[in-house]
Amino acid sequence: MAIESDVLVVGGGLAGLTGALSAAREGADVRLVSYKQSTLRQASGLVDVLGYTPDGDGPLTDPFAAIQSLPDSHPYRTVGVETVRDALSLFDEAVPTYEGGHTDANALLPTHGGTVKPTARYPAGASAGLASDDRDTLLVGVEEMVDFDAPHVAAHLGAAGVPFDVRGETIRFPGDLRADAKVTRYAKLLDTNGEVAVRGRKVPARDALAQRVNPLLEGEARVGFPAILGDDEPGAIRAALGEKLGVDVFEVPMGPPSLPGLRLEDALFDALDAAGVSIETGNPVVDVDGDDRVERVFVEKNGARIPNSADQYVLATGGFVGKGIESDREGVSEPVFDCHVPHAEDRYDWFETELFGDHAFARYGVATDDDLRPLDASERPEFDNLRAAGSVLGGYDFAAEKSGSGVSIATGYAAGQRAAQEAR
């Protein structure tokens, strides 16, 4: 007997989670199935709407104003700017620890690479680090974390012309942690405020960290750490460190594994639980039944093929990185529903010879109608009851535009909402 629901979402990334939440908020019985862990743990945790135009102009001040000038094939043009706003409102409600919803303007945040990134939503823990703030800044790196070279980051920010003086210092993190300790180990130690040995005596970890940073201050009004300041209690940890140091404390978003990304994932799964969404992860969809309509999909679990049926389906399996789009010498394909992916027949037309050139493959994905239904090679819907969302969509280069999270949220919201409204 098949597991039944009104709406079945395939994919557990930002688009899939948003789509499931949107459908549930419309009153649908929603089930989400995902083969892999969410890619959010590999992401910075920042939510970009549009940082640059497809032509490379930017950073953009108002991403919403720029949407109307995007190519017709862009997913933002498909859903419309008001849907983008509505989707972000849903996100703001589901993840109240994020800021940026008070304005249409992009915020400018320093990154662990020493660049300044335009973004529409950002964790509260990063808010004291905005590059538009002119207060002098000390960045503190940790010897054991080679991905965040604080002096290097500070030098790059200074060369980029930020409106404040910035320095970088490196410390040894207090406590007996292995040299290859994961960011979650630092976070857990600060969450529990466990005691660490300092000069032969036991000191709470937060006190010990503040004691190592305090002598480095030279009048700066704010201090930035790599994003390791707790998982369960990041706000309390920042407040405690700020009080002990007499400054505002912020986190600099990091690359994978990303603690802000994990926090965002947890917040969205909490919202799905509260909305009553059924979730199954770790098992792939291996087959599909249906002609003009998807009748059911089969999820492989412990060697068995478990049928799952729904009235409406949402495809949100990701792009090339998430294996939602695949390629080989024969061409480019979407492996779950076998949707058509428009692409050049000659593989040499997929890319440019320049490393940072305008590569066509970056925009490969399924094409859809105005209702986000994937189209076949004749531009007819593959299935009447299937919609696509997120980076499985074609028509945009999310890496160059800094638009990946925004497109995932906007199209996930629209696909989930429309699926729920049409579900019997």
Side-chain angles (χ1 to χ4, degrees), residues 36 43 82 131 159 174 181 216 240 250 260 279 289 305 313 327 345 379:
K36 297 181 179 179
E82 290 308 313
L216 304 176
F250 66 94
I279 301 170
D289 263 355
R305 288 158 44 99
Y313 296 79
S327 66
E345 292 186 9
E379 298 191 350

Side-chain angles (χ1 to χ4, degrees), residues 124-126 128 138 140-142 145 148 171 173-174 182-193 205-206 209-210 213 223-242 245 247-254 258-260 263:
L138 173 66
V140 177
V142 176
M145 295 187 65
F148 185 71
I171 66 168
F173 196 85
K182 296 181 179 179
V183 295
T184 49
R185 293 182 183 271
Y186 297 102
K188 183 58 66 178
L189 179 58
L190 292 170
D191 270 333
T192 60
N193 203 22
R206 300 176 193 177
L209 181 56
V213 174
V223 173
F225 293 88
I228 57 172
L229 301 182
D231 188 11
D232 299 326
E233 299 289 340
I237 293 168
R238 292 194 313 275
L241 290 174
L245 295 171
V247 299
D248 283 340
V249 170
F250 66 94
E251 290 184 314
V252 178
M254 299 289 291
S258 166
L259 200 56
R263 295 175 192 145

Side-chain angles (χ1 to χ4, degrees), residues 17 31 39 44 47 76 140 143 155 166 176 182 204 235 247 259 297 302 346 358 385 404 406:
L17 299 178
R31 180 170 174 77
T39 55
S44 66
V47 174
Y76 280 150
V140 177
E143 285 183 6
V166 54
D176 186 20
K182 296 181 179 179
V247 299
L259 200 56
V297 302
N302 298 326
D346 189 336
D358 183 21
N385 61 338

Side-chain angles (χ1 to χ4, degrees), residues 178-305:
R178 297 201 318 257
D180 63 344
K182 296 181 179 179
V183 295
T184 49
R185 293 182 183 271
Y186 297 102
K188 183 58 66 178
L189 179 58
L190 292 170
D191 270 333
T192 60
N193 203 22
E195 291 188 336
V196 297
V198 178
R199 296 189 180 92
R201 61 191 183 90
K202 295 292 187 178
V203 179
R206 300 176 193 177
D207 289 345
L209 181 56
Q211 289 170 13
R212 295 204 173 175
V213 174
N214 192 53
L216 304 176
L217 285 167
E218 295 180 0
E220 290 89 357
R222 52 184 179 164
V223 173
F225 293 88
I228 57 172
L229 301 182
D231 188 11
D232 299 326
E233 299 289 340
I237 293 168
R238 292 194 313 275
L241 290 174
E243 182 178 356
K244 297 176 191 304
L245 295 171
V247 299
D248 283 340
V249 170
F250 66 94
E251 290 184 314
V252 178
M254 299 289 291
S258 166
L259 200 56
L262 286 167
R263 295 175 192 145
L264 175 56
E265 179 184 75
D266 289 343
L268 289 171
F269 272 103
D270 286 345
L272 291 176
D273 286 340
V277 175
S278 172
I279 301 170
E280 179 179 340
T281 60
N283 300 301
V285 174
V286 293
D287 202 2
V288 175
D289 263 355
D291 189 6
D292 294 332
R293 291 178 60 85
V294 179
E295 299 298 337
R296 58 182 178 173
V297 302
F298 293 89
V299 176
E300 187 176 86
K301 186 174 183 180
N302 298 326
R305 288 158 44 99

Side-chain angles (χ1 to χ4, degrees), residues 347-371:
R347 293 175 64 247
Y348 289 98
D349 291 333
W350 294 4
F351 53 86
E352 298 288 339
T353 55
E354 295 292 329
L355 178 61
F356 296 106
D358 183 21
H359 302 291
F361 71 80
R363 296 184 294 277
Y364 285 168
V366 301
T368 73
D369 63 9
D370 291 342
D371 203 33

Side-chain angles (χ1 to χ4, degrees), residues 68-92:
Q68 298 300 332
S69 300
L70 293 173
D72 289 343
S73 60
H74 200 288
Y76 280 150
R77 294 296 303 277
T78 302
V79 300
V81 67
E82 290 308 313
T83 296
V84 178
R85 293 183 185 278
D86 291 343
L88 286 170
S89 294
L90 176 67
F91 176 87
D92 293 339

